[in-house]
């Protein structure tokens, strides 16, 4: 099934499902009406977006997640049914290069909904793009911003995905690289 994305610059006029695939899974600092494990199809998580405002600084951005198209892939996360006024907070939280887009999502109960997701594309100023896992892990290990160390973002997400019985090769490979790097550094 081909998905079409629609940019959603306007706030919705009623409750809408929001899909979280990164920090929105484990750092829920907004009210919601209902939540459910969910997934989207045709996308995968990647630590390719720079964070100048949360997990890094403008001079030394951290790395956070975005979604990239990947036909046939399934990306698991959490869906939250939220009231329109919640986007006032979320648009600020997700301001560093993220767009709000409309996307089909699938709840754990089997129902399908048109929902919203924040994602960053390579056209935004904070885009860092791909790199080998060792480089990504080293970047994450040295980054720190107003929301704390970048490593916490990665480790909290990996734990949250495990608790949801969700597997993500990219996230878990970066977690292994980060922990190996930290072990190596502690032994030298």
């Amino acid at each position: 099934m081909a998905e079409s994305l629609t940019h959603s610059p306007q706030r919705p006029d009623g409750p809408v499902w929001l899909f979280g695939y990164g920090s929105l899974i484990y750092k829920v600092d907004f009210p919601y009406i209902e939540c459910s494990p969910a997934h989207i199809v045709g996308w995968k998580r990647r630590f390719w977006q720079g964070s100048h405002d949360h997990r890094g600084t403008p001079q030394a951005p951290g790395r956070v997640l975005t979604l990239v198209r990947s036909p046939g892939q399934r990306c698991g996360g959490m869906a939250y049914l939220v009231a329109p006024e919640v986007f006032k907070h979320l648009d600020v939280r997700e301001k560093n290069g993220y767009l709000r887009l409309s996307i089909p999502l699938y709840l754990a109960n089997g129902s399908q909904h048109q929902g919203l997701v924040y994602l960053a594309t390579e056209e935004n100023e904070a885009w860092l793009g791909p790199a080998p896992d060792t480089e990504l892990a080293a970047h994450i290990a040295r980054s720190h911003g107003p929301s704390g160390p970048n490593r916490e973002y990665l480790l909290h997400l990996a734990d949250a995905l495990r608790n949801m019985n969700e597997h993500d090769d990219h996230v878990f490979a970066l977690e292994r690289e980060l922990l190996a790097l930290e072990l190596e550094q502690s032994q030298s």
Side-chain angles (χ1 to χ4, degrees):
M1 174 175 112
E3 294 181 84
S4 64
L5 288 181
T6 307
H7 180 55
S8 295
Q10 304 288 324
R11 288 200 179 107
D13 56 7
V16 65
W17 286 99
L18 171 70
F19 181 71
Y21 56 90
S23 63
L24 290 177
I25 294 175
Y26 67 85
K27 185 180 178 187
V28 184
D29 61 354
F30 54 91
Y32 58 87
I33 301 163
E34 188 179 336
C35 73
S36 172
H39 70 274
I40 57 175
V41 177
W43 298 91
K44 61 186 176 184
R45 274 179 271 268
R46 288 295 180 261
F47 274 87
W48 293 357
Q49 177 65 6
S51 176
H52 302 99
D53 57 347
H54 287 295
R55 298 298 178 164
T57 65
Q59 300 77 24
R63 280 193 175 257
V64 291
L65 287 172
T66 189
L67 295 171
V68 295
R69 283 198 182 272
S70 185
Q73 287 277 354
R74 176 191 176 279
C75 179
M78 287 295 292
Y80 305 92
L81 185 61
V82 296
E85 57 271 13
V86 171
F87 288 98
K88 183 175 181 181
H89 166 71
L90 291 172
D91 286 347
V92 171
R93 176 177 164 168
E94 305 296 327
K95 70 179 187 262
N96 193 196
Y98 289 88
L99 301 172
R100 189 168 6 107
L101 300 169
S102 179
I103 191 168
L105 59 94
Y106 305 87
L107 301 185
N109 68 9
S111 64
Q112 178 183 345
H113 299 273
Q114 196 65 23
L116 296 176
V117 64
Y118 286 92
L119 66 83
T121 66
E122 60 189 65
E123 288 84 28
N124 83 86
E125 291 180 10
W127 181 260
L128 296 175
D133 288 350
T134 53
E135 288 180 31
L136 292 173
H139 189 149
I140 289 168
R142 69 177 175 266
S143 297
H144 190 281
S147 295
N150 202 169
R151 72 180 296 281
E152 288 179 357
Y153 179 102
L154 171 59
L155 298 177
H156 286 316
L157 177 62
D159 285 344
L161 290 172
R162 272 191 207 88
N163 290 336
M164 295 172 62
N165 293 317
E166 286 290 341
H167 183 79
D168 188 294
D169 290 335
H170 180 69
V171 172
F172 295 153
L174 291 180
E175 177 191 41
R176 282 190 304 275
E177 291 287 343
L178 175 70
L179 295 175
L181 176 64
E182 291 178 345
L183 179 62
E184 181 183 307
Q185 290 173 347
S186 74
Q187 293 174 344
S188 56

